[in-house]
Amino acid sequence: MAKKSKIAAQARRREVVARYAQRRAELKRVSTDPAVSQEDREAAMAALHRLPRDASPTRLRNRDAVDGRPRGYIGAVGLSRVRFREMALRGELPGISKSSW
């Protein structure tokens, strides 16, 4: 179980990323466009650097949807490997069963 502060910080980061997503995409497009003048590209890059650090999507961390565990994340179901195994063995995940041969 992750600390509640870590889970809350992650939720806050997701909001910040969503809030600045459009502005970030526009600045990145302008900063890499060869048709734009060098001064405008440098200004766009400077504006991009002035955005909050948490506005970058790379600052997000995938976490277990149930308890917030950051390691062993399985993206297809949104759970960590530990929680996935527990829920699968109890039959709580539809379409998933323990293999045997």
Side-chain angles (χ1 to χ4, degrees):
M1 177 80 186
K3 295 189 332 186
K4 296 209 183 294
S5 61
K6 290 290 188 183
I7 296 170
Q10 182 67 13
R12 188 185 69 246
R13 275 190 212 104
R14 285 198 186 279
E15 292 173 7
V16 172
V17 167
R19 187 180 328 137
Y20 287 99
Q22 186 175 0
R23 175 91 173 121
R24 251 184 98 71
E26 177 63 24
L27 289 172
K28 283 184 75 76
R29 187 193 62 77
V30 170
S31 68
T32 59
D33 189 2
V36 178
S37 70
Q38 182 66 25
E39 293 82 23
D40 290 342
R41 289 192 341 220
E42 288 174 1
M45 189 58 73
L48 190 62
H49 291 302
R50 282 193 300 271
L51 291 178
R53 283 187 176 186
D54 282 347
S56 174
T58 59
R59 305 266 298 193
L60 295 176
R61 176 83 188 219
N62 290 326
R63 289 184 175 270
D64 187 316
V66 178
D67 64 2
R69 187 177 200 278
R71 305 271 180 113
Y73 180 78
I74 300 173
V77 291
L79 299 171
S80 68
R81 60 181 178 80
V82 177
R83 180 72 50 177
F84 176 81
R85 185 167 190 268
E86 289 173 358
M87 291 178 76
L89 289 176
R90 286 193 304 249
E92 295 175 359
L93 299 174
I96 296 175
S97 61
K98 187 170 189 279
S99 65
S100 61
W101 58 88

